[in-house]
Amino acid sequence: MRGPVMVSLLPGITLFGIFFLVPFFVLVATAFARWGGLDFAWVGLDNYQRMFDDPVFFKAFGNTLFYAAASMFIQVPLGVAVGMVLALRPRGWRALRTIIFVPFVISGAAYAVIFSMFYNPRSGLLNNVLGALGLSGDRDWLFDTATARWAVAGTFVFIIGFVVVLVMAEIASIPNEIYEAASVDGATTWQQLTRITLPLLRNVIGTAILVRLLVDIGMFDLVFILTAGGPDDATATLALYAYRAYLNGEWGYANAVGSVILAVGLVLIVTVRRAFRIGERAL
Amino acid sequence: MSKSRMTTTTATVAIASAAAVMAGVAGCGSDGGSSASDSSADTSGDSGEIVITCATCQESPTDPFLQYNYEAAQRFNEEFAGTYRVETIENANAGSSDDRLQYYQRLALADDLPDLFQLNSGEIKALQETGRLHDFASTLENDDEWAATFHDQAFDALMGAGGEIWAIPQQRDAIGIYYNTELLENAGFAEFPATWDEFEDLAAELRSQDKVAIAMDGDWATMLMWVNLIGTQPGGAEFLREGIVGSDNWGDDPTVVQATERLRDWHVEGYVNADAFSGEFQNAAAPYLTEEAAMVANGPWFVNTNLKTDSAAPGLYEKTGYAAAPGWSEGDRGAVVVSGAGWVSGTTDEQKLEAVETFVKFVSSEDEVLRQATATGANPPVQVDAAAAEEADLEPLATGLIEEAAESTYRYPHVRVHGPAGFGAAWKNLWPAYVKGEMATDEFLQRLTDDAMSDQTG
């Protein structure tokens, strides 16, 4: 019995080894090397030393955390709120759910192109609307260091379809008897939402935050297409910073940055899982 | 389910799964489509035909240079049928892009470079370090007649420090400034300005008429104007040829400081389109093509790729002029002169090299360079008979600028072609912040030098 089970696991283990373990060990090992394809030399902690001496790395790190915070404090709460409202099944909720979900299935690259037109200071919709309202309509949202990060975050924080669907599915699984009992006890709709529904969404909110954070710490395509990390690295992310090093033939350095991204991801997974007690039963 | 039956089922699933993985792995190994060397492995078939691979010879509805290469390869295959044949590799990195150099560097490491492809001079400098590029010097030495057909200095940007010739130039172009004659006349300028002071007078007048004086993009077109402002000062051309790769602070050169501040001031004064920082050339092209802007800097290929397309306002081509850059003083005009991309080879196989050399001689023949000039608007790297050139009906804007550039006081290379490989990314990152007043000129130029020369990460 044990032999066949092991054999049946072999394909999965093989694929996991080839496509995860090998790249993982290459990344971690070469982070301690100067490696540009043409040369290879072990350099100890030099890559990390250089990274921590580079102000651009800290800018990229700060920006990555900023985008993660935008997801955590704007995107997820907004998605949860909308999901809870739609779960009450107001008139037209099905159509609304579909409309809200559509942006989630549009590729990041396409989204970036659409928003680069939206933010265009000469012909973009945003400045034209602001101008029509009598407000200053000549700001270069993406290439002004004061607004660039916010403009980039503005492209994704309203893509809440994924969170909305998660929340609605979770609410649908809450036994109706709980609401009936609360109703008999005189609880208002608001009280039911805040004292029954919201606490029972703990698991799914934690999961949504975790998924978004993991997407955000590897954010690349949106930023690359919108601003390429500029102006003056005001929008650069860790993934973009690593990509620049890779383009420059500094593969070992890029992998050192990649290992930092991995470590940050690990810390986030552990922290969020603990904070939201993901996996523990809510009822 | 009985225990024995379950065991049998599990074993069957396990064997089937293992077989599927093995088939998948084997499948991975058998995909040779993306490998340059795989497709060129059959140097000669039973027919004795020598097959070489070309990674920049694919059909392209949007890139006239690739399309020309494709058609030239077909003509070559017809003319040399049975002896040599060019086989096209479909290559997503065939056109100019930030990823192109990395792509070829990876192939070089795997000793899998295509037999034929194209690179610009900056990329050649980086790729020759792999030691995988063929040196065409001996080919040119052994064929004086062919070598003599090339324009003077045609190989300058394509040579190594030891006199190696890493590429055969595909073009030799002067790059100037396109201008809308009607808008200039409306602003009181019957002729293109001769000096930068006059240029600024014109820009101010256009600004007062709610027109953009000169359209830029934060990348290619902006850099062209930066180079023009540097190159038209005494010593500027030397900086663009040598200082830009040798100096550790470009801010030490007064020509660079003056040029940089003047270009910044044009943005501050509102002479330039507001969306001039994205790095997308479309942001520069659109205002000119819609007659919102009076001028835009670009090479002769702009005619076929933009001016003669449906994107351009009706009649715009007819009212477009093309001029060398103004000068800092009367009579000191200048123009960027570039060799553009060159044909390079990554093969070491003697028979394939013979085919490669035959191909580059074929595409630099008078017939082919004139065909290319007609198709792309780019000018030949070789001298052609005046009567043949006239008969070929070359783009008059481009040929006119070639003549004007020859008479100009200054000729200089473009920084994107001749400067450090990291220049483009560094410029795009820092230029918007500098223009918006977030750093002083000396800080901008020091950081630009550092980022462009050392690396792109910071």
Side-chain angles (χ1 to χ4, degrees):
Chain A
M1 181 67 195
R2 200 166 187 183
V5 169
M6 290 304 292
V7 174
S8 68
L9 287 174
L10 195 63
I13 292 171
T14 308
L15 292 174
F16 182 75
I18 292 172
F19 295 110
F20 178 77
L21 286 181
V22 171
F24 175 79
F25 283 116
V26 168
L27 181 135
V28 172
T30 57
F32 299 97
R34 189 182 65 242
W35 180 34
L38 299 178
D39 56 345
F40 186 95
W42 296 107
V43 293
L45 293 170
D46 282 7
N47 285 335
Y48 291 96
Q49 180 72 47
R50 180 183 149 194
M51 196 190 306
F52 296 128
D53 285 343
D54 184 358
V56 180
F57 168 76
F58 287 102
K59 265 192 186 180
F61 193 90
N63 292 336
T64 305
L65 293 183
F66 174 84
Y67 297 136
S71 287
M72 190 166 166
F73 297 112
I74 301 175
Q75 188 184 35
V76 174
L78 191 63
V80 171
V82 172
M84 286 168 72
V85 171
L86 290 186
L88 295 173
R89 311 205 165 182
R91 196 185 167 100
W93 70 274
R94 280 198 179 87
L96 267 174
R97 185 182 59 182
T98 307
I99 291 167
I100 289 169
F101 195 74
V102 165
F104 180 68
V105 295
I106 296 176
S107 82
Y111 222 77
V113 172
I114 292 166
F115 268 91
S116 66
M117 290 189 275
F118 175 75
Y119 285 128
N120 185 296
R122 192 172 57 88
S123 56
L125 183 64
L126 181 59
N127 275 354
N128 280 318
V129 169
L130 290 175
L133 294 172
L135 301 166
S136 170
D138 58 357
R139 188 173 271 282
D140 192 353
W141 299 93
L142 284 172
F143 292 95
D144 187 325
T145 49
T147 55
R149 267 195 331 184
W150 292 95
V152 170
T155 62
F156 66 83
V157 290
F158 299 111
I159 306 175
I160 56 173
F162 174 67
V163 184
V164 168
V165 169
L166 269 185
V167 166
M168 289 181 74
E170 184 74 359
I171 290 174
S173 71
I174 299 173
N176 218 23
E177 291 80 1
I178 299 176
Y179 293 103
E180 285 167 2
S183 205
V184 168
D185 289 342
T188 61
T189 305
W190 175 251
Q191 284 171 324
Q192 289 177 27
L193 278 176
T194 54
R195 297 187 188 177
I196 299 173
T197 310
L198 201 54
L200 291 177
L201 290 177
R202 190 199 69 230
N203 255 315
V204 84
I205 292 173
T207 305
I209 288 176
L210 193 60
V211 169
R212 274 311 315 179
L213 291 181
L214 293 180
V215 168
D216 291 337
I217 59 167
M219 184 184 288
F220 176 80
D221 52 355
L222 261 179
V223 173
F224 182 71
I225 295 170
L226 283 169
T227 63
D232 195 11
D233 304 303
T235 60
T237 60
L238 284 176
L240 185 73
Y241 181 79
Y243 171 75
R244 287 177 183 173
Y246 178 74
L247 262 193
N248 203 41
E250 297 173 308
W251 300 354
Y253 187 66
N255 286 348
V257 180
S259 67
V260 169
I261 296 175
L262 264 179
V264 172
L266 221 84
V267 169
L268 288 176
I269 289 171
V270 172
T271 309
V272 174
R273 282 198 62 168
R274 284 198 175 168
F276 286 85
R277 290 180 286 132
I278 295 175
E280 291 179 27
R281 288 181 68 88
L283 280 172
Chain B
M1 189 184 283
S2 71
K3 190 179 174 187
S4 65
R5 192 171 168 195
M6 195 171 79
T7 306
T8 310
T9 308
T10 310
T12 307
V13 169
I15 290 165
S17 304
V21 168
M22 296 310 288
V25 171
C28 288
S30 66
D31 178 13
S34 63
S35 164
S37 64
D38 282 356
S39 50
S40 63
D42 56 331
T43 305
S44 51
D46 294 340
S47 62
E49 189 177 54
I50 299 170
V51 180
I52 52 172
T53 54
C54 176
T56 45
C57 296
Q58 66 203 50
E59 275 189 289
S60 171
T62 54
D63 186 330
F65 285 95
L66 285 181
Q67 183 62 27
Y68 163 75
N69 293 349
Y70 169 76
E71 289 166 11
Q74 303 310 307
R75 285 191 290 274
F76 177 82
N77 287 347
E78 272 177 35
E79 187 168 332
F80 293 93
T83 311
Y84 307 120
R85 181 162 57 85
V86 172
E87 191 172 281
T88 295
I89 298 173
E90 288 297 324
N91 174 11
N93 295 289
S96 176
S97 75
D98 288 343
D99 296 334
R100 183 166 73 175
L101 176 60
Q102 275 284 318
Y103 169 74
Y104 287 119
Q105 280 177 327
R106 286 197 296 272
L107 292 183
L109 287 173
D111 198 11
D112 197 21
L113 280 174
D115 302 322
L116 259 177
F117 55 110
Q118 289 178 308
L119 294 174
N120 67 36
S121 60
E123 293 164 333
I124 288 169
K125 272 181 215 155
L127 199 66
Q128 56 95 11
E129 288 173 15
T130 65
R132 307 281 189 201
L133 288 185
H134 173 64
D135 178 4
F136 286 97
S138 58
T139 314
L140 285 152
E141 273 171 24
N142 294 336
D143 192 340
D144 291 344
E145 199 180 330
W146 177 53
T149 62
F150 287 92
H151 282 296
D152 291 345
Q153 300 172 316
F155 293 93
D156 281 5
L158 309 171
M159 291 177 71
E164 303 92 343
I165 295 175
W166 300 120
I168 303 299
Q170 188 187 25
Q171 69 205 72
R172 182 177 177 277
D173 280 310
I175 298 179
I177 302 170
Y178 290 91
Y179 61 96
N180 185 318
T181 52
E182 194 174 282
L183 293 181
L184 260 64
E185 277 168 21
N186 293 344
F189 280 74
E191 302 218 334
F192 191 77
T195 66
W196 291 116
D197 287 340
E198 282 180 30
F199 181 90
E200 286 177 0
D201 292 342
L202 165 65
E205 179 56 32
L206 287 163
R207 172 91 177 100
S208 71
Q209 296 178 8
D210 277 339
K211 291 288 179 189
V212 170
I214 182 153
M216 297 190 200
D217 58 359
D219 195 326
W220 174 262
T222 307
M223 291 171 199
L224 274 172
M225 293 310 294
W226 188 64
V227 164
N228 279 329
L229 283 162
I230 295 170
T232 49
Q233 296 179 68
E238 285 69 34
F239 168 80
L240 292 167
R241 282 193 200 99
E242 293 154 24
I244 202 157
V245 287
S247 164
D248 58 5
N249 181 9
W250 301 335
D252 291 341
D253 190 321
T255 64
V256 180
V257 174
Q258 288 189 69
T260 306
E261 292 182 340
R262 200 155 187 171
L263 184 61
R264 175 201 59 193
D265 293 346
W266 294 353
H267 288 76
V268 175
E269 295 294 335
Y271 302 159
V272 180
N273 47 313
D275 56 345
F277 300 103
S278 69
E280 297 294 328
F281 181 70
Q282 197 50 36
N283 282 12
Y288 185 80
L289 296 178
T290 54
E291 301 193 76
E292 195 182 327
M295 296 175 272
V296 66
N298 203 355
W301 47 86
F302 181 71
V303 174
N304 282 351
T305 54
N306 287 274
L307 261 184
K308 286 184 172 173
T309 66
D310 293 341
S311 306
L316 182 61
Y317 173 76
E318 286 73 24
K319 49 184 159 182
T320 289
Y322 194 31
W328 286 72
S329 51
E330 196 76 45
D332 279 349
R333 304 180 69 157
V336 174
V337 177
V338 294
S339 298
W343 288 101
V344 295
S345 175
T347 188
T348 51
D349 181 285
E350 286 297 325
Q351 281 188 307
K352 288 184 181 182
L353 278 174
E354 183 188 306
V356 165
E357 288 169 6
T358 307
F359 181 82
V360 293
K361 286 179 183 176
F362 173 80
V363 290
S364 53
S365 64
E366 187 170 276
D367 277 356
E368 280 301 319
V369 294
L370 289 174
R371 273 199 179 108
Q372 178 192 265
T374 307
T376 65
N379 281 278
V382 296
Q383 299 159 45
V384 292
D385 178 65
E390 196 170 332
E391 198 175 317
D393 195 21
L394 299 183
E395 169 53 46
L397 288 173
T399 50
L401 189 70
I402 289 273
E403 288 166 19
E404 193 182 334
E407 291 163 12
S408 296
T409 310
Y410 300 111
R411 283 173 295 281
Y412 35 84
H414 190 348
V415 62
R416 273 298 290 273
V417 179
H418 200 64
F423 183 88
W427 177 279
K428 273 198 285 189
N429 184 36
L430 298 173
W431 178 249
Y434 169 64
V435 169
K436 290 168 197 288
E438 284 157 26
M439 60 182 88
T441 305
D442 53 354
E443 183 191 352
F444 167 69
L445 289 172
Q446 180 66 71
R447 287 186 59 190
L448 186 65
T449 314
D450 292 344
D451 291 4
M453 301 288 274
S454 58
D455 60 53
Q456 296 175 43
T457 57

